[in-house]
Amino acid sequence: MAQRSAALKARGITPGLAVILVGDNPASQVYVRNKVKACEDSGLRSVLEKYEASLSETELLARIEALNQDPDIHGILVQLPLPGHLDTHKVIEAISPAKDVDGFHMASAGALLTGLPGFWPCTPHGCMKMLESIGYDLRGKHAVVIGRSNIVGKPMALMLLQQNATVTICHSATPDLKAMTLQADVIVAAVGKRHVLTADMVKPGAVVLDVGMNRDDNGKLCGDVDFAGVSQVASYITPVPGGVGPMTITMLLVNTLQAAENSLAA
Ligand code: GUN
């Protein structure tokens, strides 16, 4: 990443990321702060725009359009969730696909679905990088994704499929989750609920990626997986905090760098 960043610098370009935060959701404030700090640490320029929860949709859409036109901004990120009066779909679709470093735009989702180049959502992409880092070959493996969100579950399943895994997506209406997870070589837990996955649900030696971000009874950050139990059974497991989260941020920086490189070629 440092090399690509230096190559851009040599051509007079500093990758620029605009981060928009609407309202005062405490978790979002932490996420946004971490993203801005990561940009600073990696030599990317970030612009944080904070707005009151009362910001109108028209104002937000106008701001996004201005950023779409700004040549110094290569990536635009609108932190979710948005306050209820704002139409999330409409807001995401207002971001230029060329600057959609979150990978949430329909054009990005369609590119992932069809295997064309485009920005991939950062969290599932980070999960794929973690599997790559341990040299895990997904071909012929059974991957079970718990959760079907547009941000994680659905794109995660597509990425695993692209690497030739057999993929099962489980969700709140899955009658027997344990029967599914016990068959899995790889489990990705992305529900947002504590202890969705416990040791009795995991085949010995399975790989477990925990995408959850929850608070336990003492207010401590924890994932969807019962880490203490599952780590006794799994061959590889990611902790929360410190597992997938930092990878998500890294992929955001990579996407922003990519967007800046693309702007040169355009
Ligand atoms: N809220 C939770 N995760 C994300 C993310 O990856 N991007 C944005 N924009 N909002 C989020």
Side-chain angles (χ1 to χ4, degrees):
M1 202 156 79
Q3 235 175 21
R4 288 169 68 181
S5 199
L8 282 168
K9 282 243 160 74
R11 302 187 62 172
I13 292 194
T14 303
L17 173 69
V19 179
I20 298 179
L21 175 62
V22 187
D24 50 11
N25 180 310
S28 289
Q29 285 176 339
V30 175
Y31 295 151
V32 159
R33 199 182 320 133
N34 290 341
K35 290 171 186 178
V36 168
K37 182 170 183 314
C39 283
E40 281 168 14
D41 294 347
S42 300
L44 277 70
R45 194 171 75 92
S46 68
V47 181
L48 174 58
E49 300 194 3
K50 283 186 180 182
Y51 297 102
E52 299 284 327
S54 58
L55 182 76
S56 76
E57 193 171 276
T58 311
E59 288 172 302
L60 178 55
L61 293 175
R63 197 54 214 128
I64 290 172
E65 187 46 33
L67 292 166
N68 282 340
Q69 303 297 333
D70 185 339
D72 294 331
I73 293 295
H74 304 97
I76 303 170
L77 181 155
V78 178
Q79 186 65 29
L80 303 181
L82 287 169
H85 67 283
L86 300 170
D87 181 341
T88 301
H89 174 72
K90 203 165 159 186
V91 169
I92 289 172
E93 294 313 307
I95 298 170
S96 161
K99 300 191 178 187
D100 176 38
V101 288
D102 251 335
F104 295 167
H105 194 285
M106 283 198 293
S108 305
L112 171 59
L113 185 81
T114 49
L116 290 170
F119 294 115
W120 284 7
C122 302
T123 299
H125 197 182
C127 289
M128 294 306 286
K129 289 286 175 193
M130 290 184 104
L131 291 175
E132 204 182 302
S133 76
I134 59 167
Y136 193 85
D137 183 5
L138 283 159
R139 173 175 287 274
K141 297 296 199 309
H142 186 189
V144 169
V145 179
I146 316 173
R148 53 173 155 176
S149 70
N150 289 338
I151 296 183
V152 184
K154 281 189 251 178
M156 184 79 252
L158 290 170
M159 291 175 201
L160 293 162
L161 183 64
Q162 201 171 85
Q163 291 299 312
N164 301 304
T166 300
V167 182
T168 303
I169 306 179
C170 299
H171 47 79
S172 50
T174 299
D176 190 350
L177 178 62
K178 181 176 170 179
M180 294 294 149
T181 56
L182 274 175
Q183 297 176 37
D185 303 302
V186 178
I187 304 171
V188 181
V191 178
K193 219 169 86 188
R194 277 172 65 196
H195 293 184
V196 159
L197 192 72
T198 47
D200 58 306
M201 299 167 74
V202 179
K203 184 167 77 173
V207 166
V208 177
L209 304 178
D210 191 350
V211 178
M213 195 68 94
N214 313 297
R215 298 271 169 190
D216 68 13
D217 295 335
N218 303 316
K220 250 183 67 186
L221 219 51
C222 67
D224 289 353
V225 176
D226 172 23
F227 185 87
V230 173
S231 57
Q232 304 290 315
V233 185
S235 63
Y236 178 79
I237 178 170
T238 64
V240 176
V244 173
M247 280 310 292
T248 295
I249 295 191
T250 301
M251 297 325 295
L252 173 67
L253 302 182
V254 169
N255 279 352
T256 305
L257 210 57
Q258 184 68 53
E261 288 170 356
N262 293 350
S263 76
L264 277 176

